[in-house]
Amino acid sequence: MSISSAESSVLTNKRWRYFLQGHKTGMFRFPFGCLQWQKIMSLRIGIIPLPVYSVILICLGILLAFGKVSGDISIMVALLAACGFTCAEIGARISGLRQIGGPVIVSIFLPAYLVHYKFLPAELVGSISDFWHTTKFVYLFTACVIVGSILSMDRQALITGIVKIFIPLGVGSAIAAIVGTLTGMAFGLSAHYTFFYIVIPIMAGGIGEGAIPLTLAYGEILTIPQEQIFAQVVPAIVLGNLVAIICASLLNQLGKRYARYNGQGRLYDAEDGMPAEPINTSSAKVEHIAAAGMVAIAFYIVGIVAHKLIGLPAPVAMLFLVVLVKLIYAISPKLENGARTVYSFFSKAMTYPLLFAIGVTTTSWADLMAAFNLANIVTILVTVVTLTTVGFFVGKWIGLYPIESALINTCHSGMGGVGDIIAILTSAHRLELMPFAQIATRLRGALTITAAIILLGIIS
């Protein structure tokens, strides 16, 4: 007679309680110090048991002393995990900072600070940078999160959410552009500079997909070197991303206080339309989890091919394909359940290590500091807050959960790329919104760039 995994877990817990009771009553005894050791093992830095964390730090220190921190994936996973979860713990324990996304802020900007002032060993920074640029591990993370979150969604909620998010995005972008420009003018900046060099870059989709093509077009129209324009717009993008992280954390706090505004990661309540699909909450088998991981990788490879053929960004192409597959019931419930487990693993185990790597490799402390003057700070703050606020109220008006709708708009003001979307959504504890955030950042960013280039061409 076989027993289920749930029954097995119950039996295991009963046996453990029996052993503990027997130990306390003197029926039998554990080896000396066993209970104390178990208590120590229950202490964690992030997901890492404290003794394991200590061993990792000691070994990494020895390797650094010998200058032999290689790019071996096992060493790099240990390194990024130890550093990432350390930063997250620091951010979570600082009063005040904790309420505005401290774990995410510290995980990104503390390593950027340490790199800028050369407090991190050059061998360490070089190893992380080589690993990051060689493996592009963030794209595996993105594939698993997007595929897992989409396959876990209710079909009706998915399609309705995709259609509806363009309304708060469009309205929010227009109002934020107007309010942000007027704010810059009130602080003595010209309307031209505020709009084209601060407001538009914030909503352009980041650096790679936003600032670079935007400044290339600016350079051709204005006959100014692209590098000169790029240096002016990047600080606004970096500071805008920091404000977006803080807004996301505050939205999460708001959702905890006012449950009626909180979809807890759902953009739209399927029960307002047709009945929601039943969700399989049973434990996924190992083979289904592994298969779901391969499905996510396959989708991303198809996205890369689509990018080569038609120029559509690989994550967006992958997103559309997964949505199509979900809607036509091409994936079995067992694989969907496996994908949910894959998503859960990556979101809990890999987020802060990736954020630390982003801080080391792609976040510029100098660019952040360059944006710190009163006019820039207030203009950027007002632009991002306006975008977020409009998303909240317009989303509520069209039937979306206000917190989730506002978060999608907030992602529109991030630095772009999957890493910074991860930072914003992690701050709000809603990584399952990644598919909608990709649409906000990439597609809406492309529309913003196009409109700005056309307008600049007309007035120049």
Side-chain angles (χ1 to χ4, degrees):
M1 177 180 177
S2 62
I3 60 174
S4 67
S5 58
E7 291 171 333
S8 176
S9 177
V10 170
L11 288 175
T12 301
N13 291 334
K14 285 183 177 179
R15 289 169 184 152
W16 178 243
R17 288 197 298 269
Y18 169 76
F19 277 112
L20 286 177
Q21 185 178 6
H23 173 80
K24 291 178 180 179
T25 59
M27 293 172 58
F28 48 83
R29 296 190 178 278
F30 286 111
F32 178 75
C34 182
L35 284 179
Q36 288 73 16
W37 178 253
Q38 292 291 339
K39 290 179 181 179
I40 294 174
M41 285 294 290
S42 67
L43 301 175
R44 298 178 185 273
I45 303 296
I47 64 170
I48 311 173
L50 185 58
V52 177
Y53 174 84
S54 302
V55 170
I56 290 174
L57 288 187
I58 292 171
C59 292
L60 289 175
I62 294 172
L63 291 175
L64 275 174
F66 286 99
K68 295 182 179 180
V69 179
S70 69
D72 181 281
I73 188 170
S74 299
I75 295 177
M76 295 311 302
V77 167
L79 170 63
L80 295 178
C83 295
F85 287 117
T86 299
C87 290
E89 287 287 340
I90 293 172
R93 296 178 185 278
I94 299 177
S95 180
L97 184 62
R98 177 176 60 251
Q99 284 73 30
I100 59 172
V104 174
I105 292 173
V106 174
S107 296
I108 295 178
F109 292 102
L110 177 58
Y113 170 84
L114 295 176
V115 170
H116 180 75
Y117 289 102
K118 303 186 187 313
F119 290 132
L120 287 180
E123 297 85 0
L124 187 67
V125 175
S127 296
I128 293 174
S129 298
D130 291 343
F131 176 79
W132 180 262
H133 294 297
T134 301
T135 63
K136 298 188 183 297
F137 188 73
V138 67
Y139 292 109
L140 173 62
F141 179 96
T142 305
C144 292
V145 168
I146 288 180
V147 172
S149 57
I150 289 179
L151 294 183
S152 301
M153 288 182 188
D154 174 82
R155 288 173 175 80
Q156 177 68 14
L158 175 62
I159 192 64
T160 303
I162 290 176
V163 171
K164 284 189 173 184
I165 61 171
F166 285 100
I167 299 174
L169 275 172
V171 176
S173 297
I175 295 179
I178 295 171
V179 174
T181 302
L182 292 176
T183 301
M185 293 172 64
F187 279 84
L189 302 175
S190 69
H192 182 277
Y193 177 83
T194 304
F195 181 78
F196 288 106
Y197 288 82
I198 297 179
V199 174
I200 290 299
I202 290 174
M203 299 185 291
I207 294 178
E209 297 87 355
I212 292 177
L214 180 70
T215 54
L216 283 171
Y218 280 7
E220 292 181 5
I221 295 172
L222 302 174
T223 63
I224 298 175
Q226 184 261 348
E227 294 81 4
Q228 178 180 335
I229 303 174
F230 184 80
Q232 295 181 63
V233 304
V234 168
I237 297 173
V238 177
L239 185 55
N241 188 70
L242 175 59
V243 175
I245 292 172
I246 296 173
C247 286
S249 181
L250 294 177
L251 285 170
N252 182 50
Q253 299 297 324
L254 180 65
K256 292 179 180 179
R257 178 168 296 186
Y258 300 100
R260 64 184 181 275
Y261 300 140
N262 187 359
Q264 297 180 338
R266 295 175 299 154
L267 190 60
Y268 170 80
D269 189 355
E271 294 180 358
D272 290 343
M274 62 177 61
E277 302 170 25
I279 297 176
N280 181 9
T281 58
S282 62
S283 298
K285 293 184 178 180
V286 173
E287 56 266 31
H288 297 150
I289 298 172
M294 291 307 301
V295 167
I297 293 172
F299 277 129
Y300 185 70
I301 293 174
V302 173
I304 292 176
V305 173
H307 175 68
K308 297 294 183 182
L309 295 177
I310 61 177
L312 191 65
V316 176
M318 176 183 64
L319 188 156
F320 288 152
L321 180 60
V322 180
V323 170
L324 176 63
V325 167
K326 173 72 175 181
L327 295 180
I328 64 175
Y329 295 84
I331 299 294
S332 69
K334 291 181 180 180
L335 280 181
E336 289 184 354
N337 199 33
R340 185 178 298 110
T341 303
V342 170
Y343 158 78
S344 180
F345 169 78
F346 274 86
S347 61
K348 292 179 180 178
M350 299 307 302
T351 301
Y352 288 109
L354 282 178
L355 293 179
F356 180 85
I358 290 168
V360 170
T361 59
T362 64
T363 304
S364 171
W365 183 261
D367 289 339
L368 180 64
M369 292 298 102
F372 271 88
N373 63 72
L374 183 61
N376 281 359
I377 291 174
V378 176
T379 302
I380 293 167
L381 178 64
V382 169
T383 301
V384 177
V385 171
T386 300
L387 186 61
T388 301
T389 304
V390 172
F392 183 95
F393 289 103
V394 174
K396 184 176 184 294
W397 175 61
I398 64 175
L400 300 177
Y401 282 113
I403 299 294
E404 278 66 23
S405 177
L407 278 170
I408 298 304
N409 271 27
T410 304
C411 288
H412 184 32
S413 60
M415 276 175 60
V418 293
D420 299 292
I421 294 175
I422 292 168
I424 295 170
L425 294 182
T426 299
S427 185
H429 300 285
R430 284 170 176 80
L431 267 177
E432 55 267 50
L433 292 177
M434 176 73 79
F436 302 111
Q438 286 284 336
I439 293 174
T441 301
R442 296 180 183 274
L443 296 187
R444 186 64 205 178
L447 292 175
T448 301
I449 291 173
T450 302
I453 292 172
I454 292 173
L455 181 60
L456 183 63
I458 292 174
I459 65 176
S460 297

